[in-house]
Amino acid sequence: MKETVLSRSMRVIFAGGAAGISLLTALPAQAQAVPPAESQRPVARVEITGSNIRRAQAETASAVQTLNRADIEKSGRTTVAELLQTLAVDNQGSVPTSFGNGFAQGASGISLRGLGSASTLVLINGRRVAPYGLADDGQKVFTDLNIIPTEAVERIEILKDGASAIYGSDAIAGVVNVILRRDFQGTTARASYGKSKYWDGRDARLSITHGIGNLDTDRYNALFSFEFGGRREVFNRDRDDREQVGRGDLRPWGFSALEGLGGTGAITTNNAAGSAINGNVRNPTTLDYYNRGNPAGLGFTRPFPAAACRNFTSHPQGDPGGGCLIDADQSYEQIQPRQNSYNLFTRGTFQFTPQMQGYVEANYYWTESESSGTPSGINANVGHPGGPVSNAGAALGAAHPDNPYFGTAARLRYLATDVGPRTSSINSKFGRLVVGVKGTMYDWDIDSALLFSGNKVYNKRRNYLQRDVAFALLNPTPANVAVATARSPAYAALPPGTVWRIAENAGLNSPALYAALSPVISNDAETRISQIDFRATREIGQLPGGPIGMAAGAEFRHERTELAPTTGTEMGNIIGLGYSAYSGRRDATALYAEVLAPVIKQVEVSGALRYDHFSDVGNSWTPKVGVKWNPTRQLALRSTFAKGFRAPSSAENGVGGLAAFSTAADPLRCSLGVASACDATSIAIITSPNPALSPERSKNWSAGVIWDPTARTSISLDYWQIKRKNEINQQQTDAAIAAGQVSRDPSTATTIPGDPGAITAVLARYVNSAQTKVRGVDVDARTAFNLGTGRGTLAMDAKWTHLFKWIRTEQDGNERDFAGTHGNCDVTNCIGTPDDRVNLGATWDLAPLRVSATLNYRAPIKNTLFNDDPEGCAIHFANGQDAPNGCEIASFTTFDVTARYNLTARTELFGTIQNLFDKVAPLDPLTYGAQSYNPLDYSGAMGRFFSVGLRHRF
């Protein structure tokens, strides 16, 4: 539809977020007056996310944060995903694109209120999209934000309280509604290019938007938007001057190998060692490990001078146990994976009659990304639906020519650098088609559409080791050879007696051996949504405050999700790679209604009720009520109460399972005196789907105030709480360990009496936890000043979200508060739950120049798993003191600057500096989403980043 003056001003009023919002001429909604010349014109009405009823006032009973096109441009972020993840309302559970080794590689997701990406509903133009094919952590199905075509975005509305009564399942934490352009004429081309101060991490973007036809005169409009984006990879080793960023060897910062953070290859304690680049081997009698290059290896029957550590690495040594140390994380892991993407959006609008309009929307998104990780250690444990698989027994056979204990089989800890870094190639294709009609019929405004959306993901992995072949090539016992021959034709084709030569002798291996040892493995995933919906709204009566608005609607949706397991993981045959697979489908039917009643001129009451029926989990009724009171023109009070629900995903109650990795300590072995078991290290977790799961249910309430003290100043404060029952989670890892739900390998026991051996896997399942309660406050302030003739205008804004509590209560009544701590580490990346996030912005406008500055702040995080954890700090320095200092991850603040200059009326030059002061991300030794820094602090790992661009309107 043609844009009205009021709708444009509302988008300015809405302006918020991390970008520094201009409020140059628009008045706040409560204070806005109608010019006398327009007093007789009908009031234009717009639809606000969270309601189907069109209204004249922008502010509703629910808190809505809106980012318009100017906000996106001022932020300097090149993608919507990047911008949303800097917002104060985003928290624990968001999925960063930079996490190249996660389950949901290649995608990015938002987690409002820290309740997880699966509880945040993402819409495009008010309708659903198919979720990403790879569930985060193998469980949480979410929408990939990368599919959003940035240049086609009109605005983004974020509903910060639950909206299940309007939109159904998945909206417990709130809604992100991306509204794309609907009426555009002309042609715009935009190009940008960016690089870091290290002259790497290239970010190139190109977009073309073209629109033809005028709805008023031509009765049609057609919009086409195409975008290309390309990013180059950045390795941890490329940031070796940024303190601890990207390093696994943290000895210079006071850690030791006992914390599991020393250089790869360390020999820690009796019967425990890391994987060395030249191989650590175990003395068959004493169970002590020695490095193959150590001439003083106890009991060696064959020396290997060429295996000396200095022949492999110049990395600083000093392991007391005599291991050969490198930093594999720094050498092979990435800060940012390579990614190329293509995004096409088109919309056609046809005005059939003055009262009826038809429209067609089509999205197509294709991306490919490549991530790299460390080479495989041959002893990494795995799990599959049948149980855990311990690879601790990996050994050099008695007759293996590289065995220092030649004549006796000896356990081996070897980092397979000769095979190469493990890589993953993701190819994702997303499509969406909407065909609909809207208009006026019998005094009802109607909108009805058919929607088809799907995502297909292909994942190819290279340089992962086949367990059966690796064991046979290292230790060719009759049993090992028989298993490998039966399972692997490539191994069976090798000459009899072939062995895998390691380290200094790896050059003797044939290409055929490597083809059998680490063939390309793959899997694919697919999600689909088919939907038909109908909604209508009208005025049904009059109250003293104005007309009563009513809306009603219905929808039917079919969902299908399927993830095939990666080749070999279904039987635990890929060393160090977890298992993830699920399959399910469901039908969902919904009916809903909504009423907006202006009881008196100053009081507006709203209510909504929705009925959902799911073919696999039954029925749900979800209500929502709200009230807004304007005691004066400058002041508004508002409050909402709602119930919500989230139906289990196919990954949670379907067919399949999950075998993944997390971090945890082993309190049993620690109490026996096994020092290496006292701090968190990587362990396998096997989680089974649970068809008996009930839907999550929530009660959300909020109360707030909006104060407009002047025409250009607005301040809002909203206090909110979300209480979620029947929360679907993995059982807490440490709770499962305490309950004895573990599998151990006795052969890894030390000589300490009673040592049961290391944990190979934690056995868990998805359960309905008792509840989660999150309580906090949002503050939103903005103002604007006229600096005087020739000095322009200055607009400023502030967004602050504070968490008072983030409490999870288990079924046994055990209660943990994660607010301000590093927990919940069972959620994505072990990012932590900062209790304060702040966005500050300012924009100076002196045409033709505009300069914007943005400050993003993350509060300190206690390095404990939860508040008042009796175990104390989660990580310790080598001297036993809490780590980092004070057991706290330092706060992190970045400052970004964007400038735009109109060269002509049609041409704009722009540039951005992100992380202007080149702040370094603080040390975080617990997260597994990035190496030694928190994924929330990504820009502090990348370093200062520059970009320039040009936009031209033809």
Side-chain angles (χ1 to χ4, degrees):
M1 288 274 185
K2 199 169 183 179
E3 188 178 59
T4 67
V5 173
L6 183 59
S7 66
R8 284 196 299 270
S9 67
M10 281 187 174
R11 280 196 291 278
V12 178
I13 295 167
F14 273 167
I21 309 307
S22 293
L23 195 68
L24 305 181
T25 58
L27 303 179
Q30 285 73 29
Q32 213 168 22
V34 179
E38 300 183 1
S39 60
Q40 303 303 314
R41 297 183 183 180
V43 178
R45 296 178 180 271
V46 294
E47 185 176 312
I48 309 300
T49 297
S51 173
N52 288 312
I53 299 174
R54 299 171 71 83
R55 62 190 70 208
Q57 283 193 328
E59 298 287 2
T60 70
S62 297
V64 178
Q65 178 179 341
T66 298
L67 308 171
N68 58 24
R69 288 189 53 76
D71 303 332
I72 299 173
E73 293 171 353
K74 292 171 187 174
S75 73
R77 308 290 171 171
T78 57
T79 68
V80 171
E82 284 184 332
L83 174 58
L84 291 178
Q85 290 187 342
T86 65
L87 300 183
V89 293
D90 184 48
N91 210 300
Q92 166 81 317
S94 60
V95 183
T97 304
S98 58
F99 190 21
N101 293 323
F103 276 95
Q105 300 173 62
S108 181
I110 185 172
S111 171
L112 297 179
R113 309 306 191 193
L115 289 172
S117 54
S119 292
T120 300
L121 179 60
V122 177
L123 308 172
I124 293 181
N125 289 342
R127 288 186 169 92
R128 291 174 175 264
V129 298
Y132 190 57
L134 303 178
D136 180 41
D137 282 344
Q139 173 196 0
K140 307 168 191 71
V141 176
F142 70 100
T143 299
D144 180 13
L145 298 174
N146 293 325
I147 66 173
I148 299 170
T150 307
E151 192 64 17
V153 171
E154 183 69 28
R155 66 186 186 275
I156 302 171
E157 296 178 349
I158 303 171
L159 180 68
K160 296 189 285 187
D161 61 1
S164 292
I166 304 298
Y167 301 111
S169 187
D170 311 337
I172 283 181
V175 177
V176 176
N177 186 15
V178 181
I179 300 171
L180 303 180
R181 290 179 170 180
R182 303 184 183 185
D183 185 4
F184 180 79
Q185 297 177 53
T187 302
T188 299
R190 183 183 188 276
S192 66
Y193 186 88
K195 280 194 171 183
S196 76
K197 76 166 193 174
Y198 299 91
W199 209 243
D200 62 7
R202 184 199 70 193
D203 187 352
R205 304 280 161 174
L206 173 66
S207 64
I208 299 176
T209 304
H210 178 65
I212 57 173
N214 184 294
L215 280 176
D216 293 332
T217 58
D218 302 321
R219 298 175 61 185
Y220 79 91
N221 179 262
L223 163 67
F224 305 90
S225 178
F226 171 79
E227 292 185 11
F228 164 78
R231 281 185 170 171
R232 296 297 296 269
E233 66 278 5
V234 176
F235 285 86
N236 288 342
R237 60 177 178 264
D238 298 325
R239 297 295 183 269
D240 59 2
D241 66 336
R242 298 189 71 80
E243 301 179 16
Q244 86 294 332
V245 168
R247 297 179 184 270
D249 184 354
L250 296 176
R251 289 174 296 157
W253 287 267
F255 294 92
S256 78
L258 290 180
E259 281 74 40
L261 301 166
T264 300
I267 296 173
T268 54
T269 57
N270 176 252
N271 205 9
S275 296
I277 193 172
N278 57 348
N280 291 323
V281 290
R282 189 182 73 168
N283 183 301
T285 302
T286 66
L287 307 186
D288 288 323
Y289 276 89
Y290 296 91
N291 188 260
R292 288 180 62 252
N294 185 353
L298 182 64
F300 279 9
T301 60
R302 180 176 289 183
F304 291 93
C309 184
R310 63 178 177 273
N311 295 333
F312 293 88
T313 180
S314 59
H315 188 74
Q317 298 302 302
D319 175 27
C324 179
L325 304 183
I326 68 166
D327 196 329
D329 295 306
Q330 185 185 38
S331 299
Y332 296 101
E333 296 278 2
Q334 294 175 321
I335 290 174
Q336 173 179 289
R338 181 183 65 84
Q339 185 172 32
N340 291 325
S341 61
Y342 304 84
N343 208 324
L344 175 66
F345 170 71
T346 181
R347 178 182 170 94
T349 309
F350 313 93
Q351 196 71 42
F352 298 128
T353 69
Q355 293 77 34
M356 195 60 62
Q357 183 183 99
Y359 58 90
V360 177
E361 293 178 1
N363 303 70
Y364 181 78
Y365 172 79
W366 176 79
T367 183
E368 58 175 1
S369 61
E370 182 89 18
S371 60
S372 172
T374 60
S376 180
I378 63 170
N379 61 300
N381 297 321
V382 295
H384 67 108
V389 176
S390 174
N391 294 317
L396 291 172
H400 195 291
D402 298 329
N403 184 1
Y405 293 101
F406 192 79
T408 306
R411 287 201 174 184
L412 174 69
R413 299 293 180 259
Y414 175 58
L415 188 70
T417 55
D418 58 310
V419 177
R422 290 171 289 181
T423 64
S424 179
S425 301
I426 296 286
N427 186 309
S428 176
K429 298 177 181 179
F430 167 83
R432 181 175 181 267
L433 175 66
V434 179
V435 180
V437 293
K438 64 186 303 184
T440 303
M441 182 181 297
Y442 303 110
D443 296 327
W444 287 86
D445 292 332
I446 64 169
D447 190 350
S448 181
L450 290 169
L451 178 148
F452 304 94
S453 184
N455 178 239
K456 185 80 171 179
V457 181
Y458 305 87
N459 188 2
K460 289 186 177 180
R461 302 176 189 263
R462 294 174 174 84
N463 299 336
Y464 283 80
L465 304 182
Q466 302 279 312
R467 180 185 190 276
D468 48 15
V469 175
F471 275 50
L473 289 172
L474 291 172
N475 187 15
T477 64
N480 286 344
V481 170
V483 172
T485 301
R487 290 180 176 175
S488 172
Y491 174 79
L494 294 175
T498 299
V499 294
W500 176 15
R501 304 300 300 273
I502 65 171
E504 74 279 10
N505 295 315
L508 302 175
N509 296 319
S510 68
L513 180 144
Y514 286 118
L517 178 63
S518 59
V520 175
I521 56 178
S522 64
N523 72 321
D524 57 70
E526 184 175 15
T527 62
R528 289 184 183 179
I529 290 180
S530 302
Q531 176 178 296
I532 182 171
D533 61 56
F534 176 85
R535 55 187 182 228
T537 180
R538 64 167 295 173
E539 295 177 0
I540 60 172
Q542 190 76 20
L543 289 173
I548 303 172
M550 175 183 176
E555 67 181 50
F556 173 81
R557 185 171 70 252
H558 175 74
E559 301 175 350
R560 173 184 162 190
T561 302
E562 185 170 0
L563 170 66
T566 301
T567 314
T569 59
E570 73 280 359
M571 53 184 175
N573 196 43
I574 308 301
I575 295 178
L577 182 61
Y579 169 89
S580 179
Y582 44 82
S583 177
R585 59 186 64 195
R586 66 159 55 114
D587 293 328
T589 306
L591 300 171
Y592 52 91
E594 181 185 4
V595 174
L596 175 65
V599 181
I600 57 176
K601 188 176 181 180
Q602 294 83 16
V603 178
E604 174 185 285
V605 177
S606 59
L609 181 65
R610 182 184 181 101
Y611 168 79
D612 286 273
H613 171 73
F614 285 85
S615 57
D616 58 341
V617 292
N619 309 323
S620 178
W621 290 92
T622 47
K624 182 174 183 177
V625 294
V627 60
K628 188 183 72 167
W629 175 38
N630 288 85
T632 69
R633 290 176 60 85
Q634 291 77 30
L635 186 67
L637 305 177
R638 62 186 176 188
S639 182
T640 63
F641 173 81
K643 291 186 177 182
F645 80 106
R646 184 181 76 84
S649 70
S650 297
E652 294 163 335
N653 73 348
V655 178
L658 171 68
F661 297 90
S662 185
T663 55
D666 186 344
L668 174 59
R669 298 186 79 206
C670 180
S671 66
L672 295 174
V674 182
S676 60
C678 296
D679 283 287
T681 56
S682 179
I683 58 172
I685 302 176
I686 301 174
T687 309
S688 302
N690 185 354
L693 287 174
S694 300
E696 296 180 345
R697 298 189 180 275
S698 69
K699 291 182 180 180
N700 304 20
W701 64 264
S702 67
V705 58
I706 309 165
W707 180 42
D708 300 333
T710 69
R712 294 186 175 184
T713 301
S714 181
I715 302 170
S716 68
L717 184 148
D718 291 280
Y719 186 82
W720 51 268
Q721 176 177 289
I722 302 175
K723 185 176 181 179
R724 180 171 60 179
K725 294 184 177 181
N726 295 331
E727 182 181 354
I728 301 171
N729 290 300
Q730 283 183 337
Q731 289 174 282
Q732 287 275 353
T733 302
D734 55 350
I737 292 174
Q741 297 171 217
V742 298
S743 176
R744 296 182 180 274
D745 184 354
S747 68
T748 61
T750 66
T751 55
I752 295 176
D755 183 0
I759 295 174
T760 57
V762 176
L763 309 177
R765 68 183 315 191
Y766 296 117
V767 295
N768 287 111
S769 299
Q771 68 179 38
T772 291
K773 181 188 294 184
V774 187
R775 186 165 63 248
V777 64
D778 295 331
V779 176
D780 181 345
R782 52 191 186 269
T783 190
F785 305 95
N786 192 327
L787 301 178
T789 304
R791 298 178 181 178
T793 57
L794 177 66
M796 298 184 294
D797 79 287
K799 299 277 188 298
W800 171 42
T801 292
H802 174 73
L803 296 178
F804 293 108
K805 295 288 183 182
W806 207 111
I807 299 174
R808 174 170 160 182
T809 305
E810 301 298 331
Q811 291 173 311
D812 61 3
N814 183 33
E815 189 174 275
R816 299 177 180 185
D817 182 5
F818 296 117
T821 75
H822 216 310
N824 176 5
C825 278
D826 291 338
V827 179
T828 299
N829 307 322
C830 194
I831 285 177
T833 309
D835 51 12
D836 286 294
R837 294 196 72 178
V838 179
N839 309 131
L840 302 177
T843 296
W844 175 58
D845 194 337
L846 180 62
L849 176 66
R850 283 166 293 159
V851 180
S852 299
T854 305
L855 182 146
N856 298 308
Y857 168 80
R858 170 192 60 76
I861 301 174
K862 298 176 187 175
N863 198 30
T864 58
L865 297 179
F866 52 91
N867 279 306
D868 301 319
D869 183 356
E871 299 297 326
C873 201
I875 297 291
H876 298 87
F877 289 117
N879 62 7
Q881 294 181 355
D882 292 345
N885 290 326
C887 192
E888 182 177 84
I889 310 301
S891 65
F892 186 63
T893 304
T894 57
F895 193 78
D896 306 331
V897 176
T898 299
R900 315 185 79 83
Y901 187 84
N902 291 325
L903 299 174
T904 69
R906 294 178 174 269
T907 306
E908 181 183 61
L909 177 68
F910 56 89
T912 297
I913 305 176
Q914 296 181 29
N915 194 2
L916 177 66
F917 300 114
D918 199 28
K919 296 279 288 186
V920 177
L923 171 65
D924 185 343
L926 189 58
T927 182
Y928 55 89
Q931 188 59 51
S932 301
Y933 68 92
N934 198 294
L936 291 172
D937 307 334
Y938 159 81
S939 61
M942 177 64 71
R944 186 183 295 119
F945 197 90
F946 304 88
S947 63
V948 296
L950 190 73
R951 175 187 280 112
H952 181 73
R953 296 186 297 275
F954 295 91

